[in-house]
Amino acid sequence: FYPPSSNVRADFWDAATQGGLLLANALNWATGAPAPETTIDAAPGAATGDPTPTFAFSATGGSGGWSYQVSVDGGAFAPAASGFTTAALGDGEHTFRVRAIDSARHVDPTPAVYTFVVDTAAPDTEFLTRLLGAATNNPTPRFVFSSPDADVDHYEVSFDGVTFDPLADGVITFTAPALADGTYTLRVRAVDGAGNADPTPAEYTFRVDTAAPTVTLTSAAPALIRTRTFRVTATFDEPVFGLTRDDIATPRVTVENGTASNFVRVSVSVYTFDVTAAREGVVTVNVAPSFAKDAAQNPNTAATPLTRTFAVPPAVTIGPPSAARVRAGAAVSFLVTYADPTLATATLSARDVVLHRTGTANGRVVVTRLSATTFRVTVVGVTGSGTLGISSGPGTAVDGYG
């Protein structure tokens, strides 16, 4: 036993460590000098993707002139300097310890300790919402994304080729700025707490289309038709969906003064159907707006109506001869009558009458107008023997449709 006034020092060494390192200090009875305190100044985050993290450390107290010893995962303390980088560590939890030794060989009895996790596995990223047909009529589309990995810290987005920008913690959506019509690409990557970013970001290419599809109605039939049924083609300027066979029976395809039938889907943008006129007059075909939609869900605009006029030539009736038999030099007559609800003009002259003869029978044709629609055709100066009959040539009457 030595009294407090004595200048006695006792040091304990561990011969198993490198160079016989100091394990503990006896009290310095003369001065009572304290042991140094060690501080870790820089370290990786609580989770790191770096398998060889670097640590910086310093000390205070004691007699100065500090040196340091470090221990990783419970290993023996070994000399090291601040800026120490570990050997490659496996994924998982690790513990780093560092203690200072001052010039009087006093050892910090409470080493600074730092526990951290090495995580080199990058998270995956996926979109939760997608656009129908990769097209939208919304100029500011919204996307939702996620990751199957539980340790995601945040997400980063790259829109249309620009650099990745981080989103705030907890944000799992991205709303595009107001976009003009065109094609764009959104890339999203998850970043975990260790700073690992998905090396294969989720990528989605989509098209903004705010233009409504237009439809044009055409027909090879002339403006004035003589047959009741004609074919109509509806051509959209882009693929559309929603026009079905049943649409010809609904107000979506309308026909004034007629009916539609035989609907055929030629392609995603071309449709055909037959139109049959109900009566003489103008037949109007139309396609209603807002029932066929393009891939971006824009409804179609109304078509410009297609019109055709259905009209049959005025009917011509030739009555029986005034006499069944006549002698030479006599005359025989026929009544020619025109009938049409819209008859405009009827003109019949001898030049328009065809005299049909058999044998040697012959005569001269004389035409007399009896009314606006009736004419008497007389064959005078009959000669020879045989039969006589008449017919009218074309173009002798015009109806109201021309």
Side-chain angles (χ1 to χ4, degrees):
F1 176 79
Y2 296 93
S5 60
S6 303
N7 186 14
V8 177
R9 167 176 163 171
D11 293 337
F12 297 85
W13 302 84
D14 180 2
T17 61
Q18 299 178 12
L21 297 178
L22 183 65
L23 293 178
N25 296 309
L27 294 176
N28 189 322
W29 293 94
T31 63
E37 288 290 334
T38 313
T39 302
I40 297 175
D41 300 318
T48 179
D50 182 3
T52 57
T54 298
F55 296 83
F57 33 82
S58 60
T60 58
S63 57
W66 307 282
S67 60
Y68 301 93
Q69 296 174 335
V70 299
S71 168
V72 178
D73 290 339
F77 278 95
S82 180
F84 170 77
T85 298
T86 71
L89 302 175
D91 281 15
E93 186 176 85
H94 300 275
T95 300
F96 173 78
R97 292 178 173 83
V98 57
R99 65 187 181 187
I101 305 170
D102 66 14
S103 59
R105 307 186 69 81
H106 296 122
V107 178
D108 183 354
T110 56
V113 179
Y114 187 76
T115 299
F116 60 98
V117 173
V118 171
D119 175 11
T120 59
D124 196 13
T125 316
E126 59 189 13
F127 282 101
L128 295 183
T129 57
R130 291 181 178 269
L131 304 173
L132 177 64
T136 178
N137 58 10
N138 179 4
T140 57
R142 179 176 179 268
F143 298 86
V144 181
F145 30 85
S146 182
S147 172
D149 300 284
D151 61 343
V152 172
D153 179 73
H154 65 278
Y155 293 89
E156 297 176 343
V157 299
S158 169
F159 186 69
D160 214 28
V162 300
T163 57
F164 279 92
D165 291 321
L167 299 176
D169 291 352
V171 175
I172 59 171
T173 64
F174 174 79
T175 299
L179 303 174
D181 283 13
T183 300
Y184 303 88
T185 298
L186 174 66
R187 302 174 70 212
V188 181
R189 65 185 183 189
V191 181
D192 63 19
N196 299 301
D198 184 353
T200 56
E203 184 173 300
Y204 193 69
T205 298
F206 63 97
R207 179 169 54 90
V208 173
D209 174 12
T210 58
T214 61
V215 57
T216 302
L217 297 175
T218 58
S219 177
L224 179 62
I225 57 174
R226 298 301 188 183
T227 57
R228 289 184 180 273
T229 300
F230 59 98
R231 195 75 167 157
V232 174
T233 299
T235 303
F236 291 85
D237 65 344
E238 61 178 307
V240 294
F241 311 91
L243 187 62
T244 68
R245 183 182 301 274
D246 295 335
D247 289 321
I248 62 174
T250 73
R252 295 174 177 176
V253 175
T254 60
V255 180
E256 296 179 14
N257 186 28
T259 57
S261 62
N262 300 328
F263 182 90
V264 175
R265 181 178 182 267
V266 179
S267 69
V268 292
S269 59
V270 178
Y271 303 81
T272 63
F273 51 92
D274 289 333
V275 172
T276 301
R279 59 189 176 278
E280 285 191 296
V282 177
V283 180
T284 302
V285 185
N286 205 351
V287 174
S290 304
F291 75 90
K293 296 181 179 180
D294 62 15
Q297 298 300 291
N298 296 299
N300 68 285
T301 60
T304 299
L306 172 76
T307 60
R308 291 294 185 269
T309 300
F310 169 62
V312 296
V316 182
T317 303
I318 299 177
S322 57
R325 298 175 67 89
V326 295
R327 295 179 178 181
V332 62
S333 63
F334 303 83
L335 287 181
V336 178
T337 304
Y338 293 89
D340 190 284
T342 63
L343 184 66
T345 61
T347 57
L348 185 65
S349 67
R351 294 191 304 270
D352 301 317
V353 177
V354 179
L355 183 63
H356 300 277
R357 301 177 295 115
T358 65
T360 60
N362 202 347
R364 182 170 61 88
V365 174
V366 177
V367 177
T368 304
R369 178 187 287 275
L370 302 180
S371 70
T373 60
T374 305
F375 298 82
R376 177 184 291 117
V377 177
T378 305
V379 181
V380 299
V382 174
T383 62
S385 63
T387 61
L388 294 173
I390 66 168
S391 65
S392 63
T396 57
V398 179
D399 63 16
Y401 302 107

